[in-house]
């Protein structure tokens, strides 16, 4: 059984990423508490928003800074677990935890406003995010991105931004922004589920290993440089990716696709439930606001 400790503390716990998230959290609370008075229409940061933001940062660290990140380079299954939470759940938490007045201030900047106005259009948001997600998992693209630290940082960063754009029309609370409602939300979520399926299907039903970063030792070692310091890699006694995988490359690949699809369905199912409950409550409120003829005094 392999031991992850041999990869070292930096590879396992990403201290620099932790410091980055810590500084980001401190800036968030500084602006929310100390600079709020500078922004017209701002309100106090609620306990729920503050707690949710801290939880989101901790969750983001677990997904990208804990041993899960290293495992994502060793097993394709863990890579897909990362993808599911990083792009389908964490963007929702960020949108929800940041106060509305902060979003308004951010969107008041001309360049950002134009970018949001274009890329959060429902059809564009759906096509661009799911297109980039599927494009990423084309073997040639995947192996290039996973073996170059700059390509990886750029592509995954842009994909995360487009994940925020994709969720924005569905869950944002900014009054002046475009928001879907009622049946349109259901249709949007259904379309999103359909568009992400081809990438998962390609992975699940392919009976041969697709990615060299999980089968070819040279490509695999190169991919490890994304999270393991070079001086540590040079000291490791490793024969190839198979010594770290709990199953064959084919089954690992298929399991990753299945896990991604299951997590996606669970996340979307929870969102659909909330949409239906909110819709039902609004219908009840509208019904209650109109008196039934014949029941008055």
């Amino acid at each position: 059984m392999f031991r992850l400790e041999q990869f070292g503390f930096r590879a396992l716990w990403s201290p620099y990423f932790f410091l980055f998230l810590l500084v980001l959290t401190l800036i968030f609370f500084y602006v929310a508490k100390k600079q709020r008075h500078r922004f017209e229409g701002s309100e106090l940061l609620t306990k729920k928003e503050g707690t949710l933001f801290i939880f989101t940062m901790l969750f983001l660290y677990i997904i990208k800074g804990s041993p899960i990140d290293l495992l994502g380079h060793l097993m394709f299954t863990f890579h897909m677990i990362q993808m599911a939470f990083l792009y389908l759940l964490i963007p929702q938490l960020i949108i929800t935890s940041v106060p509305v007045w902060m979003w308004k201030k951010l969107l008041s900047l001309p360049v950002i406003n134009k970018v949001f106005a274009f890329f959060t259009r429902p059809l564009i948001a759906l096509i661009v995010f799911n297109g980039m997600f599927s494009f990423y998992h084309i073997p040639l693209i995947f192996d290039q991105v996973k073996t170059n630290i700059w390509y990886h940082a750029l592509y995954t960063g842009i994909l995360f931004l487009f994940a925020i754009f994709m969720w924005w029309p569905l869950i944002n609370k900014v009054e002046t922004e475009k928001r879907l409602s009622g049946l349109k939300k259901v249709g949007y979520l259904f379309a999103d589920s359909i568009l992400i399926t081809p990438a998962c299907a390609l992975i699940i039903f392919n009976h041969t290993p697709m990615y060299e970063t999980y089968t070819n030792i040279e490509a695999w070692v190169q991919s490890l440089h994304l999270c393991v310091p070079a001086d540590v890699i040079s000291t490791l006694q490793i024969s190839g990716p198979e010594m770290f995988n709990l199953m064959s490359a084919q089954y690992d690949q298929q399991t990753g696709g299945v896990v991604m699809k299951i997590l996606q369905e669970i996340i979307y199912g929870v969102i659909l439930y909330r949409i239906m409950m909110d819709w039902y409550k609004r219908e009840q409120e509208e019904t209650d606001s109109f008196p039934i003829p014949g029941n008055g005094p």
Side-chain angles (χ1 to χ4, degrees):
M1 184 65 180
F2 65 87
R3 295 180 299 108
L4 294 180
E5 309 91 73
Q6 63 184 302
F7 289 99
F9 179 80
R10 284 173 57 189
L12 289 173
W13 296 108
S14 306
Y16 296 122
F17 185 62
F18 176 81
L19 290 175
F20 168 74
L21 293 181
L22 179 61
V23 170
L24 184 62
T25 302
L26 293 175
I27 292 174
F28 171 80
F29 279 98
Y30 174 77
V31 173
K33 296 289 187 179
K34 301 296 185 181
Q35 301 296 307
R36 179 181 60 86
H37 64 279
R38 297 177 57 187
F39 307 127
E40 184 179 353
S42 61
E43 299 176 355
L44 287 172
L45 179 71
T46 66
K47 184 177 181 180
K48 180 180 178 181
E49 290 169 338
T51 302
L52 183 59
F53 188 86
I54 292 174
F55 170 79
T56 302
M57 293 299 102
L58 289 174
F59 190 40
L60 179 56
Y61 174 69
I62 290 172
I63 295 301
K64 284 294 293 178
S66 77
I68 291 177
D69 188 49
L70 174 60
L71 286 169
H73 292 273
L74 303 178
M75 293 182 65
F76 186 77
T77 299
F78 281 95
H79 162 76
M80 294 306 278
I81 291 173
Q82 267 192 310
M83 296 292 285
F85 288 120
L86 189 59
Y87 300 113
L88 302 183
L89 183 57
I90 290 177
Q92 296 186 61
L93 298 177
I94 291 177
I95 293 172
T96 306
S97 62
V98 174
V100 170
W101 65 266
M102 280 192 183
W103 282 118
K104 287 181 178 178
K105 181 61 179 178
L106 184 64
L107 293 172
S108 68
L109 302 175
V111 174
I112 293 179
N113 183 269
K114 290 180 180 178
V115 170
F116 260 76
F118 181 78
F119 286 109
T120 59
R121 294 176 182 177
L123 187 59
I124 293 176
L126 284 176
I127 291 175
V128 174
F129 170 75
N130 287 288
M132 287 193 66
F133 183 89
S134 299
F135 188 71
Y136 180 32
H137 288 93
I138 295 172
L140 178 64
I141 304 302
F142 186 90
D143 290 330
Q144 286 293 322
V145 171
K146 290 283 280 187
T147 55
N148 185 295
I149 190 169
W150 299 111
Y151 291 168
H152 186 265
L154 181 63
Y155 199 101
T156 55
I158 293 175
L159 185 59
F160 186 80
L161 180 60
F162 280 113
I164 292 178
F165 292 156
M166 187 269 290
W167 286 110
W168 185 259
L170 201 62
I171 64 173
N172 90 84
K173 303 294 185 183
V174 181
E175 301 88 351
T176 56
E177 285 295 296
K178 296 183 293 290
R179 287 182 291 174
L180 300 173
S181 59
L183 192 59
K184 290 182 180 179
K185 283 188 175 183
V186 177
Y188 186 87
L189 199 62
F190 179 75
D192 198 10
S193 178
I194 294 298
L195 288 172
I196 206 172
T197 297
C200 295
L202 175 67
I203 293 166
I204 294 170
F205 296 109
N206 198 312
H207 297 292
T208 58
M210 298 165 55
Y211 305 112
E212 289 194 2
T213 44
Y214 292 97
T215 56
N216 181 286
I217 184 170
E218 293 183 2
W220 176 66
V221 170
Q222 188 65 29
S223 74
L224 286 180
H225 282 82
L226 271 64
C227 63
V228 183
D231 58 327
V232 174
I233 292 179
S234 63
T235 64
L236 296 176
Q237 300 296 322
I238 49 180
S239 60
E242 69 280 350
M243 70 181 294
F244 294 96
N245 209 322
L246 302 178
M247 60 189 87
S248 69
Q250 176 190 335
Y251 290 140
D252 178 35
Q253 177 180 292
Q254 292 175 323
T255 301
V258 170
V259 168
M260 174 68 188
K261 189 60 181 173
I262 291 174
L263 289 175
Q264 177 244 315
E265 293 295 344
I266 292 174
I267 293 170
Y268 284 26
V270 172
I271 298 300
L272 180 60
Y273 172 78
R274 292 182 59 185
I275 290 172
M276 299 304 291
M277 290 301 297
D278 290 343
W279 194 3
Y280 173 77
K281 289 178 182 177
R282 282 196 299 271
E283 291 291 328
Q284 288 295 107
E285 290 173 357
E286 291 176 5
T287 301
D288 293 342
S289 65
F290 293 98
I292 301 175
N295 286 356

